[in-house]
Amino acid sequence: MKKIFLFLLPLLFAIAFISCQKEAPQTPEQPPAGPTLTGQSTIPDNPLAVETSDTTPWNGSASSNEEIADEAPADGITISKLQLISIGPGADCSTEMTANWHSPLPVNYIEFTTADDTSFAKAAKVWVKGELTKGNFTDTDAKDNTKQKKYGWNNGSGQLDNTKFYFCKADLKQLKPNTDYIYRVGTKGSSPEVSDTFKFKTAGRKGGQFSFFWASDLHTPSGSSSYTKRISELIGFANANLKKAELPEIDYVLFSGDLVEAGAVYQDWLYWDAIPEHKDYMWATCTGNHDYYWYNGYRNSSGDKARVSPRWQYECTAFPSTNHYTASDGKVASLPPSNYWYLYNRVLFIGIDSMSEESVDSEYNESISNQKKWFKDVVAKNEGKYDYIIAFQHYPYFEGNQPVEWGPYDKWRSVFDAAGVDFALGSDSHEYARSFELNKNKKIASDKNGTVYVTSPMTEGSSLDGISNEYSKSGSGRCEFYGGGCKGGCYFVVNSNSITMYLIGAQGRIFDQKTVGKKKRAWN
């Protein structure tokens, strides 16, 4: 008997092991850990030296050129021509872009080609079936759960005007890195239409030098074209300064919120669309409080202007679909599409919708805790693909030396510290402020891992301002430069070893600048 037991013992262990394996709970797959930061490289002696560019050839193909069957437009379409045409970033801007436009017809296309192919003879074409606007919707006021309100496009006085159109989105793929492109959109139907020609430039695949313009808070109102001229003036000054430094001109535009006066007023977006530089650049935007507003006079039950929804901006600008992340249970979760990221020349740009917690629209309401999970997941999953991280959102981080009361500095700084964010860009307060390099809420030496927090000046208004630093040069506090309320903009020059930010105001003069060296991450 004992011999039989000894003979069966291994078999019993095997059965028990298999049983345990079957019953053991499965541990969900966790997002990969973030990169190791070991310090920051020395800023080069000449951070603005011109660097060579990527010359990878383009194969001239698109992801799809299959024509869509024609169909009659829906009843009640209120626009009569193609409008609000723009290019936004794709996930990898060296080979991808995202297009957006409004159309009176359901069947549309976009065709694109390199800038030297002016006749579009070698153009790739992508057919798109437009979606009817989702602007009109009914939801519950977050401040008063017993009261239903109807939101939608309106005429600025609070009356819904039922603006109705097809909004079209297309992904442009298999592009050639570091290349100038032209594109146009068109319709199919009994009276087809073709738009004017627009331009954009792709990123380099291997990193290297590029520049971008950054501004915010234009509050474009319907009935006024004077505000849009400020953008043209600032971009012109930035390009002039770059040319003087013998550097290439601006590659694209980053605009961090308050594009229009009231997001639900369709005419405001048409005036935003009148900015001439929409035809010349890729635009990356994020959503501000004004872009959320229903209309100027609306107040919620607490007397505050309602942060209703970013869905109007989603239909009027181009966001890439990079709002997904791996949740703690291992499943794929999604934030509202107004949260997104993109890569441009080995810089990871992460746009955060800082209004999400206040949204009355339940489809777009989101907690900051989920935004943090998404942010960490984005940083980890792009490991090895970036040398710098730039985070941007609408709410500001600093006014003077103090974090903004309603701002997100204390909510995000530990996340930014861990990720090694180089610049954190905010807006909204209309006051320029720029911190020292900060880590763990303290000023640190420039050869360590720190984040520079910047609050942009506004662009609304008349002439640009001269901007002076209201702080002494003693270096006390967390901010190194505070310009108070002012009108101006910024541009950045990114190189293989550093990023330099410039603040410009009246006459295009440079009033502040900051250079940050490339951090030593695990892969470089």
Side-chain angles (χ1 to χ4, degrees):
M1 187 73 180
K2 184 176 182 182
K3 290 182 178 180
I4 295 173
F5 176 77
L6 292 174
F7 174 78
L8 292 176
L9 190 59
L11 180 61
L12 293 172
F13 273 118
I15 292 171
F17 176 77
I18 292 171
S19 176
C20 289
Q21 288 293 98
K22 287 181 179 180
E23 296 176 2
Q26 297 298 310
T27 302
E29 182 181 352
Q30 298 297 320
T36 302
L37 302 176
T38 60
Q40 197 165 10
S41 300
T42 303
I43 297 172
D45 293 334
N46 183 10
L48 300 184
V50 176
E51 297 180 349
T52 57
S53 60
D54 195 320
T55 56
T56 306
W58 183 48
N59 61 14
S61 64
S63 57
S64 171
N65 61 1
E66 184 177 349
E67 189 171 344
I68 299 174
D70 194 11
E71 62 181 77
D75 294 334
I77 298 296
T78 59
I79 70 172
S80 60
K81 63 179 182 178
L82 294 164
Q83 54 200 32
L84 281 160
I85 303 166
S86 64
I87 284 285
D92 180 351
C93 292
S94 67
T95 59
E96 302 171 284
M97 290 287 167
T98 307
N100 186 93
W101 68 96
H102 292 181
S103 174
L105 297 174
V107 180
N108 294 257
Y109 65 85
I110 182 170
E111 53 184 351
F112 52 96
T113 186
T114 50
D116 57 350
D117 181 24
T118 56
S119 65
F120 284 80
K122 301 177 182 179
K125 180 181 285 188
V126 177
W127 287 90
V128 175
K129 186 175 181 180
E131 296 184 42
L132 286 172
T133 175
K134 297 179 181 178
N136 293 318
F137 66 100
T138 301
D139 210 340
T140 302
D141 185 343
K143 302 292 186 181
D144 182 358
N145 292 327
T146 65
K147 191 173 184 180
Q148 295 287 322
K149 294 183 180 296
K150 184 177 181 180
Y151 306 106
W153 299 103
N154 70 91
N155 59 14
S157 65
Q159 300 299 314
L160 299 180
D161 69 2
N162 296 314
T163 301
K164 195 172 183 180
F165 54 86
Y166 291 94
F167 70 98
C168 304
K169 293 184 180 292
D171 295 326
L172 281 53
K173 296 181 180 294
Q174 301 178 24
L175 300 171
K176 176 184 176 181
N178 199 46
T179 300
D180 292 310
Y181 276 85
I182 55 174
Y183 72 100
R184 61 190 181 189
V185 301
T187 62
K188 182 183 179 184
S190 57
S191 301
E193 179 189 357
V194 179
S195 73
D196 293 338
T197 298
F198 292 66
K199 300 187 294 185
F200 67 88
K201 184 179 181 181
T202 54
R205 173 171 288 171
K206 301 173 183 177
Q209 190 173 70
F210 75 100
S211 60
F212 67 94
F213 173 75
W214 171 48
S216 71
D217 294 281
L218 186 63
H219 312 115
T220 315
S222 58
S224 174
S225 60
S226 61
Y227 288 22
T228 60
K229 294 178 181 177
R230 196 66 50 238
I231 301 297
S232 299
E233 183 180 16
L234 283 164
I235 292 177
F237 282 141
N239 280 332
N241 289 348
L242 288 165
K243 185 177 180 181
K244 187 176 180 180
E246 299 183 339
L247 294 171
E249 293 187 349
I250 295 295
D251 290 286
Y252 82 91
V253 177
L254 174 63
F255 204 92
S256 54
D258 281 4
L259 290 69
V260 295
E261 177 63 23
V265 179
Y266 193 74
Q267 289 295 320
D268 284 10
W269 290 103
L270 292 181
Y271 276 93
W272 163 260
D273 190 36
I275 297 174
E277 285 70 23
H278 280 155
K279 286 189 172 185
D280 297 330
Y281 300 99
M282 178 197 96
W283 285 66
T285 65
C286 69
T287 312
N289 53 297
H290 279 258
D291 308 317
Y292 262 72
Y293 287 159
W294 185 40
Y295 68 95
N296 292 346
Y298 177 70
R299 305 280 171 169
N300 60 26
S301 57
S302 297
D304 299 322
K305 286 186 178 179
R307 316 292 205 238
V308 181
S309 177
R311 68 172 66 201
W312 299 299
Q313 184 176 345
Y314 176 68
E315 294 187 7
C316 292
T317 62
F319 295 154
S321 299
T322 52
N323 53 321
H324 312 293
Y325 68 102
T326 303
S328 56
D329 60 2
K331 297 179 180 179
V332 175
S334 298
L335 297 181
S338 45
N339 302 272
Y340 68 94
W341 61 266
Y342 60 95
L343 288 163
Y344 201 105
N345 283 58
R346 291 191 63 81
V347 181
L348 178 58
F349 289 86
I350 306 179
I352 303 164
D353 185 346
S354 57
M355 314 301 302
S356 283
E357 286 189 308
E358 304 177 54
S359 178
V360 171
D361 184 354
S362 58
E363 183 179 345
Y364 287 88
N365 184 273
E366 189 57 81
S367 69
I368 196 169
S369 62
N370 283 340
Q371 288 180 314
K372 289 180 179 180
K373 294 174 185 175
W374 165 76
F375 190 99
K376 294 174 183 177
D377 191 66
V378 168
V379 170
K381 286 187 174 178
N382 282 289
E383 185 171 328
K385 298 178 182 178
Y386 59 86
D387 295 324
Y388 307 100
I389 301 175
I390 295 179
F392 63 96
Q393 60 184 34
H394 183 63
Y395 271 164
Y397 295 99
F398 282 95
E399 282 181 324
N401 268 319
Q402 298 302 316
V404 179
E405 181 180 354
W406 66 92
Y409 172 71
D410 286 325
K411 299 176 183 178
W412 280 100
R413 57 183 175 84
S414 62
V415 177
F416 291 172
D417 286 348
V421 171
D422 296 280
F423 280 91
L425 310 180
S427 303
D428 185 64
S429 67
H430 310 168
E431 297 185 345
Y432 178 74
R434 195 256 305 158
S435 76
F436 293 99
E437 293 177 50
L438 302 179
N439 188 279
K440 296 182 180 179
N441 201 28
K442 295 180 180 179
K443 170 188 171 183
I444 63 169
S446 60
D447 61 348
K448 301 296 181 182
N449 295 318
T451 300
V452 177
Y453 295 82
V454 190
T455 305
S456 66
M458 66 177 175
T459 50
E460 174 192 344
S462 54
S463 59
L464 300 172
D465 293 325
I467 305 169
S468 59
N469 190 358
E470 298 184 14
Y471 291 155
S472 67
K473 299 298 180 180
S474 62
S476 59
R478 286 170 288 200
C479 279
E480 187 174 14
F481 193 110
Y482 175 62
C486 55
K487 292 179 287 295
C490 299
Y491 65 95
F492 289 70
V493 177
V494 182
N495 284 282
S496 295
N497 294 304
S498 64
I499 303 179
T500 303
M501 183 204 74
Y502 300 90
L503 167 69
I504 53 175
Q507 301 174 329
R509 289 176 52 202
I510 296 172
F511 293 94
D512 183 34
Q513 68 183 71
K514 176 66 175 179
T515 298
V516 173
K518 183 170 68 176
K519 291 178 171 63
K520 294 179 180 177
R521 304 183 189 271
W523 52 83
N524 58 33

